[in-house]
Amino acid sequence: MVHPLDPGVALRILRDMIRIRAVEEAIADRYAEQKMRCPTHLSIGQEGPAAAVGAVLGRQDLAVSGHRAHAHYLAKGGDLPAMIAEIYGKATGCSRGNGGSMHLVDEAVGFMGSTAIVGGTVPVGVGLALSLSVARRPGLVCIFIGDAVLETGVFYEAAGFAAVRKLPVLFVCENNLYSVYSSLEVRQPAGRALAEVAGALGLQASSGDGNDPRAAYGLLKSAADRVRNGAGPQFVELATYRWREHCGPLFDNDLGYRTEAEYLAWKARDPIPRLTEELRSEGTLDPAWLATTQAEIQAEIESAFAFADVSPFPDQALAYADVSSWEITPFP
Amino acid sequence: MGDHAIPLMTFAQAVRDALEVALEQDPAVIVYGLGTPDPKGVFGTTLGLQEQFGADRVFDMPTAENAMTGVGIGAALGGLRPVLTHQRLDFALLSLDQIINNAAKWRFMFGGRRAVPLTIRMILGRGWGQGPTHSQNLQALFAHIPGLCVVSPATPADAKGLLLTAIFGEDPVIFLEHRWLHGAKGETPAGDHRIPIGKAHLLRQGGDVTVVASSILSLEALQAVDHVAAQGAACDLIDLRTIRPLDWDAIETSVRKTGRLLVLDPGHETGGVAGEIIARVTSRCWESLRGPPRRLAMPDAPESTSPALTQGYHVRAEHIAAAIGDLLGRPLESASLSRRDHPHDVPGNDFQGPF
Ligand SMILES: Cc1ncc(C[n+]2csc(CCOP(=O)(O)OP(=O)(O)O)c2C)c(N)n1
Ligand SMILES: [Mg+2]
């Protein structure tokens, strides 16, 4: 069932996509300055799923993610200056500089953490859902995963438990066809449909085009509604594509692991102009709104980078302060 | 050396060379892991091997570290000699069950009937914000397990020689490869060059202090030991090459001569390999010791992503030189060793991220 999209929701999704793209491009443009000294995975090209999820989740809902999490964090309402400062390794970063790009957190908005080990937060998300269910609190947990997560054992183990306990979990799988430079063909059997695998595990599953933000929103909204109505864990697979290199600011089609033609075909399916055009032709989009929005976003980004740049580095004296409360002797 | 010149290779090329020699020599050798045949070829260590030896023997895998380790064990029991590579040690942690409960114990739990000739390469990350889960050297964790052999070479020649010995050995080997060594060059014998497991290498000789090191710390120690030699402090520098089994003979013989011991440990201090060495030396060489042994290790804290917090985190040549001075009870100049032409969190100026 396709949801008729409320114009306010559509504009929100468009704004989020534009904002995520602009943030990621600002990171890419500045990466060569060597002030962001950590592995950084950008989401340029795959803003559709994140923005659509952002419009589906409420403030009481929680989310976890993996290595490529900037878009998820921002769509969930995560603090932008704290994210940029984190990538800069500054004390004002969301993880006080200890985690970098791959360890984002903003519990105030329900973004409970992203980590760098593939599949690592899947059971954590299920555990968060258990906590909601035991305490009979409203809300659901969105677990962002990539296509490679369906290769990890922990996904099957965690999904099984979520299904047994009918936990309020929404798995959102961004299938961008690759894990680093390895295509699906060398990792998973030919013709496998990820959603069918999820279905066989007891997750109610659907799949669609992540670069069609309205369709994605429709699938996600229906799935989230089912979770909220007590139907148990849901799985939504969204097809999308990463434009830049797996890790870092550049393009890497020259390496030969994927073709330029494939990249161009996906680039032509850019979710941002697509939704922009749809809204324009429906008369929902005021050109002045677009211009103001872009200007607001640019100003916000400039100020986030300025904040990160002038923020202090963490104090060496506190370098080992956050290891464990059990440690009674100070570290050397 | 004329016709017999020993080829100069980087550490990464030496690893690749060992894999090529092994694949060529024995059809039972297979090489696999995430990204093994991809265009970057695991930092160049597996480049071209799939083209050369075919996709049956050199292949990529799903992101399924635990299962693919068990698959390696089964393949080894079936007669193959698998080499599994992890781009970071941290990813191999998902396979601790198969490594510890199966690979390490198969020989023992079936009465010594069968062993598992499986080599698991684990690359150790560092710097450029690798952070808490992309930079761990957990050598002590693996060295704690009876049934595992842990190898941690410092030079290209050792990398090649030890890898070939591991591949053609009988039992499982954890092969620890420091990412910052990949670009280091050294003379590396061509062909089937092997180095015995469990034999340390005396890199420098001297009667004043015994310095025990491994992996990248052997290179830091080399700088420090040469620097203090010019100031009249002569050290034995022992490059362990193998963490388990340890070459106790080499360590004890040296300590009996020098009476002073400095152990360098690239892992966390508490529960580390340096502690094990010091405990053993203290109980076996007590009369020879002229003072308390010392260790330099990683702090008991994860590595931060922030470059500000990795400044003093790793043991460097200047720390080693200063510690040698402490052991000798006289100050040695060490500060000049800390002058480098590149930031502290990269191996050199040519490294600009992102991985
Ligand atoms: C357990 C583990 N194995 C390997 C890696 C290395 N690695 C980092 S990102 C990545 C790709 C994951 O692919 P996918 O889940 O499809 O996400 P994408 O990068 O495509 O967004 C891999 C294999 C890791 N971080 N953790
Ligand atoms: Mg992917």
Side-chain angles (χ1 to χ4, degrees):
Chain A
M1 182 190 68
V2 177
H3 280 254
L5 198 48
D6 174 276
V9 174
L11 286 176
R12 184 209 148 116
I13 293 175
L14 181 58
R15 187 181 196 285
D16 269 2
M17 290 197 299
I18 294 171
R19 180 166 175 264
I20 292 166
R21 167 103 27 116
V23 169
E24 297 288 62
E25 281 178 346
I27 293 171
D29 290 346
R30 290 165 169 88
Y31 196 76
E33 291 171 4
Q34 303 198 36
K35 288 181 178 175
M36 292 178 266
R37 304 178 80 80
C38 61
T40 302
H41 304 77
L42 302 178
S43 293
I44 298 172
Q46 37 184 92
E47 300 86 351
V53 170
V56 164
L57 299 185
R59 240 185 129 80
Q60 81 283 5
D61 296 323
L62 308 176
V64 293
S65 180
H67 57 287
R68 193 181 308 286
H70 298 178
H72 309 149
Y73 171 94
L74 293 173
K76 189 70 183 75
D79 185 288
L80 174 63
M83 176 179 113
I84 303 297
E86 187 57 36
I87 304 173
Y88 273 66
K90 296 297 182 81
T92 52
C94 60
S95 302
R96 294 194 197 129
N98 272 347
S101 160
M102 295 195 286
H103 298 90
L104 302 179
V105 64
D106 190 345
E107 289 203 10
V109 297
F111 192 85
M112 302 303 285
S114 60
T115 66
I117 298 296
V118 172
T121 54
V122 171
V124 175
V126 170
L128 285 163
L130 179 67
S131 77
L132 295 179
S133 141
V134 168
R136 301 195 190 287
R137 290 215 309 274
L140 59 79
V141 183
C142 172
I143 303 179
F144 285 102
I145 59 177
D147 43 286
V149 172
L150 268 82
E151 294 147 34
T152 69
V154 76
F155 170 75
Y156 295 86
E157 299 174 25
F161 180 71
V164 167
R165 295 285 292 253
K166 288 200 158 201
L167 295 177
V169 175
L170 174 62
F171 286 97
V172 176
C173 177
E174 290 171 293
N175 183 352
N176 63 6
L177 307 173
Y178 293 89
S179 165
V180 195
Y181 313 116
S182 302
S183 74
L184 271 169
E185 285 134 58
V186 297
R187 301 180 285 122
Q188 299 187 25
R192 169 193 275 188
L194 301 186
E196 281 174 24
V197 174
L201 299 174
L203 310 176
Q204 240 178 303
S206 55
S207 59
D209 182 356
N211 284 13
D212 176 351
R214 297 221 268 196
Y217 176 83
L219 287 175
L220 291 161
K221 180 76 169 75
S222 307
D225 286 347
R226 286 194 295 271
V227 176
R228 297 190 205 287
N229 292 333
Q234 307 287 314
F235 181 98
V236 179
E237 175 199 1
L238 295 170
T240 188
Y241 201 76
R242 138 177 82 71
W243 291 4
R244 304 221 178 189
E245 58 187 339
H246 164 69
C247 177
L250 307 174
F251 292 89
D252 66 358
N253 299 327
D254 57 306
L255 287 177
Y257 71 100
R258 58 186 199 184
T259 63
E260 187 71 11
E262 180 184 273
Y263 161 72
L264 290 173
W266 276 94
K267 213 167 166 228
R269 292 169 59 182
D270 186 341
I272 297 179
R274 173 178 190 148
L275 186 57
T276 310
E277 281 320 310
E278 285 172 5
L279 295 179
R280 211 196 298 275
S281 66
E282 289 162 15
T284 314
L285 190 71
D286 173 0
W289 177 89
L290 198 56
T292 322
T293 299
Q294 278 161 340
E296 275 168 15
I297 289 171
Q298 277 314 322
E300 187 198 4
I301 290 172
E302 290 306 323
S303 110
F305 275 91
F307 169 80
D309 211 11
V310 302
S311 285
F313 278 109
D315 185 353
Q316 185 66 43
L318 297 174
Y320 311 127
D322 288 325
V323 179
S324 164
S325 64
W326 296 114
E327 298 285 353
I328 44 170
T329 46
F331 289 104
Chain B
M1 285 192 214
D3 293 346
H4 302 290
I6 303 178
L8 207 59
M9 288 187 200
T10 65
F11 192 106
Q13 287 165 339
V15 169
R16 193 204 169 282
D17 198 41
L19 295 172
E20 182 179 330
V21 169
L23 283 159
E24 211 149 57
Q25 207 163 94
D26 186 348
V29 174
I30 61 169
V31 173
Y32 68 101
L34 282 177
T36 292
D38 82 17
K40 295 270 173 94
V42 192
F43 309 110
T45 61
T46 57
L47 273 182
L49 293 175
Q50 187 178 59
E51 290 75 5
Q52 224 173 315
F53 297 98
D56 278 355
R57 294 178 62 204
V58 180
F59 50 91
D60 211 323
M61 70 176 208
T63 310
E65 285 83 0
N66 197 32
M68 293 311 296
T69 304
V71 167
I73 295 168
L77 291 171
L80 299 185
R81 294 189 171 277
V83 184
L84 164 59
T85 305
H86 300 285
Q87 311 237 14
R88 286 290 180 272
L89 174 145
D90 316 66
F91 310 157
L93 295 180
L94 278 74
S95 60
L96 284 184
D97 167 50
Q98 288 296 329
I99 293 175
I100 297 175
N101 285 327
N102 277 345
K105 295 183 175 61
W106 207 270
R107 178 193 277 274
F108 182 84
M109 67 192 176
F110 294 110
R113 284 191 176 79
R114 289 296 301 278
V116 175
L118 168 66
T119 303
I120 308 179
R121 294 172 54 207
M122 301 182 190
I123 293 167
L124 310 165
R126 165 169 167 183
W128 198 271
Q130 297 300 304
T133 63
H134 276 55
S135 68
Q136 300 172 85
N137 182 345
L138 301 175
Q139 58 172 11
L141 190 153
F142 295 105
H144 186 63
I145 307 301
L148 289 184
C149 163
V150 182
V151 172
S152 193
T155 67
D158 284 1
K160 178 174 176 185
L162 288 162
L163 185 53
L164 276 163
T165 306
I167 294 171
F168 291 114
E170 285 189 57
D171 287 291
V173 174
I174 306 296
F175 190 86
L176 303 178
E177 224 171 282
H178 201 288
R179 173 80 182 88
W180 281 21
L181 292 175
H182 276 143
K185 280 194 179 136
E187 288 187 344
T188 309
D192 188 3
H193 162 69
R194 298 203 195 177
I195 289 180
I197 277 172
K199 276 266 160 261
H201 184 201
L202 192 60
L203 292 178
R204 290 289 184 272
Q205 282 195 49
D208 297 329
V209 177
T210 300
V211 180
V212 176
S214 61
S215 186
I216 194 164
L217 288 182
S218 293
L219 300 195
E220 295 281 348
L222 206 53
Q223 267 189 61
V225 163
D226 287 347
H227 186 74
V228 300
Q231 302 172 59
C235 301
D236 264 0
L237 172 54
I238 298 175
D239 173 23
L240 288 172
R241 299 202 286 207
T242 309
I243 306 300
R244 183 188 184 118
L246 275 169
D247 187 348
W248 292 114
D249 258 5
I251 300 170
E252 289 176 19
T253 305
S254 175
V255 172
R256 291 211 165 86
K257 175 179 75 176
T258 64
R260 298 185 188 90
L261 174 63
L262 171 64
V263 189
L264 310 178
D265 191 332
H268 299 298
E269 180 165 298
T270 298
V273 171
E276 181 60 32
I277 292 173
I278 289 174
R280 168 111 168 201
V281 165
T282 308
S283 57
R284 289 177 49 108
C285 310
W286 180 250
E287 317 76 42
S288 311
L289 285 172
R290 303 202 209 181
R294 261 202 79 177
R295 63 181 159 179
L296 293 176
M298 295 304 114
D300 283 328
E303 177 168 330
S304 177
T305 299
S306 176
L309 297 184
T310 52
Q311 284 279 0
Y313 187 84
H314 293 275
V315 175
R316 305 292 301 240
E318 58 269 29
H319 309 129
I320 301 168
I324 293 169
D326 289 349
L327 279 170
L328 288 170
R330 66 185 168 97
L332 294 171
E333 196 287 316
S334 60
S336 62
L337 285 168
S338 61
R339 268 184 245 124
R340 289 181 187 88
D341 65 353
H342 56 268
H344 76 279
D345 62 343
V346 289
N349 276 323
D350 49 342
F351 188 93
Q352 306 198 349
F355 188 57

